[in-house]
Amino acid sequence: MDRLLGTPIAEVTDLGTSHEWSLRRATLTDGRRVFVKEARRRIDGLFAAEAAGLRWLAEGWRHVAGDDAPGPVPEVLAADETTLVLPWIDTAAPTDEAAERFGRELAALHGAGAESYGAPWRGYIAELPLDNTAGASWPEWYAERRVLPYVRMAVDRGVLSSGDAAEIERAAARIPDVAGPAEPPARIHGDLWSGNVLWGRDRAWLVDPAAHAGHRETDLAMLALFGAPRLERILAAYDEAAPLAGAWRARVPLHQLHPLLVHVVLFGGAYRGQALAAARSIGRL
């Protein structure tokens, strides 16, 4: 790590493990504190994808807010195939004011947009590959790049049955009919569950992205999936800054289907019922 930063390390604190990497806090001899992810099992391109996503989100923020406006995305201090280093963020309990600021900033970030759905790098979500091949139509792109690949993975791992897969595939075929009004590609975090939002003293920070150009409702659905704190404050501020299309709340299960399938693949049958319930909700839209 000191090789990457060019500054010797004074102290390291072990923070445990997550997925296929170890987490540490390091204090450098120049006084800076940094957050370090180090691979326990090398997965080619994984940290490059995370670094690219963070930089792309930060670039989008600068585009909409100006070069001097501090954004909600931490700077990538260093990255290679086995290590990612970010500034250390001191956390605090989220306040209503911070939640509202987060809603406005997330709306602005989404508004930075992109030319097409997807991203110009090979993606990952946790340690699973994420197909970022460009697409022009979100419903078809979402079904083909975000839903169906994880159905196949889950079947191959014996977590979903062929009957389960057929039910989800029928739901995926309906997505073009129920996705709501067409929207331009939004610059989204892509894995915005509550654990990937760090609350600082007066704002939220976006970490661990599976960033790509997608549908802005996806990030909002992810915030709801595992219960982000002060969610209604976030949503109200977002909607005030960038009004959402009608009936967007009814479409939340559609956008949650992909992360639920990812959880089925990663963690097994405990998430099977939720994934099937999301698919059935699509059938009722």
Side-chain angles (χ1 to χ4, degrees), residues 115-153:
E115 292 184 0
S116 60
Y117 299 101
W121 59 80
R122 182 177 58 173
Y124 283 91
I125 185 164
E127 65 265 31
L128 299 180
L130 196 64
D131 186 349
N132 280 337
T133 303
S137 170
W138 182 81
E140 289 79 7
W141 182 89
Y142 179 69
E144 294 171 6
R145 309 296 179 193
R146 291 296 183 265
V147 175
L148 297 178
Y150 300 92
V151 174
R152 292 189 285 269
M153 285 185 208

Side-chain angles (χ1 to χ4, degrees), residues 117-118 130-131 133-152 168 171-176 178-179 188 190 212-215 217-219 221-222 225 251-262 278-279 282:
Y117 299 101
L130 196 64
D131 186 349
T133 303
S137 170
W138 182 81
E140 289 79 7
W141 182 89
Y142 179 69
E144 294 171 6
R145 309 296 179 193
R146 291 296 183 265
V147 175
L148 297 178
Y150 300 92
V151 174
R152 292 189 285 269
I168 297 171
R174 290 207 69 222
I175 291 174
V178 299
I188 70 172
H212 63 277
H215 198 300
E217 290 176 12
T218 296
D219 272 353
M222 278 296 295
L225 185 56
R251 293 187 291 273
V252 164
L254 184 159
H255 293 272
Q256 290 179 342
L257 181 57
H258 167 240
L260 286 169
L261 287 169
V262 168
I282 295 170

Side-chain angles (χ1 to χ4, degrees), residues 53-230:
L54 286 166
R55 288 167 174 151
W56 182 73
L57 292 172
E59 175 189 85
W61 175 261
R62 289 192 297 271
H63 176 74
V64 296
D67 288 344
D68 296 329
V73 184
E75 178 187 3
V76 177
L77 298 176
D80 64 10
E81 284 298 321
T82 61
T83 308
L84 178 72
V85 185
L86 306 176
W88 179 259
I89 297 171
D90 287 317
T91 59
T95 63
D96 287 344
E97 293 77 11
E100 291 165 4
R101 179 178 181 179
F102 176 42
R104 293 190 297 270
E105 291 186 340
L106 185 61
L109 183 59
H110 287 170
E115 292 184 0
S116 60
Y117 299 101
W121 59 80
R122 182 177 58 173
Y124 283 91
I125 185 164
E127 65 265 31
L128 299 180
L130 196 64
D131 186 349
N132 280 337
T133 303
S137 170
W138 182 81
E140 289 79 7
W141 182 89
Y142 179 69
E144 294 171 6
R145 309 296 179 193
R146 291 296 183 265
V147 175
L148 297 178
Y150 300 92
V151 174
R152 292 189 285 269
M153 285 185 208
V155 171
D156 289 346
R157 297 186 184 198
V159 186
L160 292 181
S161 69
S162 59
D164 295 336
E167 185 170 3
I168 297 171
E169 288 164 356
R170 286 193 295 272
R174 290 207 69 222
I175 291 174
D177 299 323
V178 299
E183 295 207 4
R187 195 168 296 220
I188 70 172
H189 178 284
D191 190 17
L192 198 59
W193 71 286
S194 58
N196 286 343
V197 180
L198 294 184
W199 295 93
R201 182 176 56 82
D202 58 358
R203 75 178 319 158
W205 294 89
L206 305 179
V207 297
D208 291 343
H212 63 277
H215 198 300
R216 62 194 183 123
E217 290 176 12
T218 296
D219 272 353
L220 304 184
M222 278 296 295
L223 286 171
L225 185 56
F226 299 115
R230 288 173 166 73

Side-chain angles (χ1 to χ4, degrees), residues 18-22 38-44 46-47 81-82 124 126-129 157 266:
S18 177
H19 297 285
E20 297 294 336
W21 42 86
S22 299
E38 291 187 305
R40 293 183 291 122
R41 175 175 69 89
R42 176 167 172 162
I43 302 174
D44 289 343
L46 189 149
F47 286 162
E81 284 298 321
T82 61
Y124 283 91
E127 65 265 31
L128 299 180
R157 297 186 184 198
L266 287 173

